[in-house]
Amino acid sequence: MTWYTALVLAVAAERLAELVVARRNTRWSLARGGVESGRGHYPAMVALHTALLAGCLAEVHLADRPFPPVVGWAMVAAVVAAQALRWWCIRTLGPRWNTRVIVVPGLPRVTGGPYRWLSHPNYVAVAAEGLALPLVHGAWVTALVFTTLNTALMAVRIRCEDEALDRLPAVDARA
């Protein structure tokens, strides 16, 4: 279980790195007249993502969940793939990527990188990670609860983001 704790802590460190990038990008966007939408759901999103990490550790340790090798290793691969997709999104959006919904008026909508195929690839990464990370070590209750709550939250978040992005013209961006 020590290696699983290290994996969850590594994901937590990655999330902290995201927040550093997001804070810098927020300053960049606001300095260019960026407009934030969806402030109301943001605290719930932060709480849910924090609960995912805590739930992974708590369920595995308190319920003494075993490591299921076949499923566990497949889920480790899914967690790694989710991180790769997330950072591809961050790289593609550059200073426009954020954990908040902030749109800078006058900038075109990004349609390169993973956005060529998906409107919201970062949320695919979030969903994959939220399912896979707990299942690495058999924390199926955490996976189920997070996935259920995240589905409801993403319905709100994607609607908010789509409304904000609909105000942008579409042009291709380098990926």
Side-chain angles (χ1 to χ4, degrees), residues 11-62:
V11 170
E14 186 277 332
R15 292 294 181 88
L16 291 174
E18 283 181 34
L19 291 175
V20 169
V21 171
R23 186 171 297 225
R24 182 185 66 225
N25 291 350
T26 295
R27 287 191 301 271
W28 182 92
S29 294
L30 295 177
R32 286 158 180 76
V35 178
E36 184 174 357
S37 303
R39 284 184 181 176
H41 71 264
Y42 189 73
M45 189 173 75
V46 171
L48 180 60
H49 286 249
T50 302
L52 168 66
L53 299 173
C56 285
L57 295 177
E59 183 175 352
V60 167
H61 291 286
L62 296 175

Side-chain angles (χ1 to χ4, degrees), residues 3-166:
W3 71 269
Y4 180 67
T5 300
L7 174 64
V8 173
L9 292 176
V11 170
E14 186 277 332
R15 292 294 181 88
L16 291 174
E18 283 181 34
L19 291 175
V20 169
V21 171
R23 186 171 297 225
R24 182 185 66 225
N25 291 350
T26 295
R27 287 191 301 271
W28 182 92
S29 294
L30 295 177
R32 286 158 180 76
V35 178
E36 184 174 357
S37 303
R39 284 184 181 176
H41 71 264
Y42 189 73
M45 189 173 75
V46 171
L48 180 60
H49 286 249
T50 302
L52 168 66
L53 299 173
C56 285
L57 295 177
E59 183 175 352
V60 167
H61 291 286
L62 296 175
D64 198 27
R65 298 282 192 231
F67 172 73
V70 173
V71 172
W73 289 118
M75 294 301 103
V76 168
V79 169
V80 170
Q83 302 314 313
L85 177 57
R86 175 179 288 118
W87 285 96
W88 187 17
C89 294
I90 292 169
R91 181 177 170 272
T92 299
L93 292 176
R96 294 163 57 177
W97 179 86
N98 215 303
T99 56
R100 298 179 179 273
V101 178
I102 303 176
V103 174
V104 178
L107 292 181
R109 188 172 186 154
V110 174
T111 57
Y115 297 89
R116 274 180 273 200
W117 301 288
L118 299 167
S119 296
H120 301 281
N122 191 67
Y123 303 141
V124 172
V126 169
E129 179 188 81
L131 184 65
L133 185 61
L135 293 179
V136 165
H137 217 291
W140 62 270
V141 173
T142 300
L144 179 64
V145 170
F146 176 83
T147 299
T148 301
L149 294 174
N150 188 56
T151 299
L153 183 58
M154 284 300 101
V156 171
R157 174 75 172 204
I158 289 171
R159 187 177 325 110
C160 171
E161 196 167 295
D162 282 343
E163 289 171 0
L165 290 172
D166 281 345

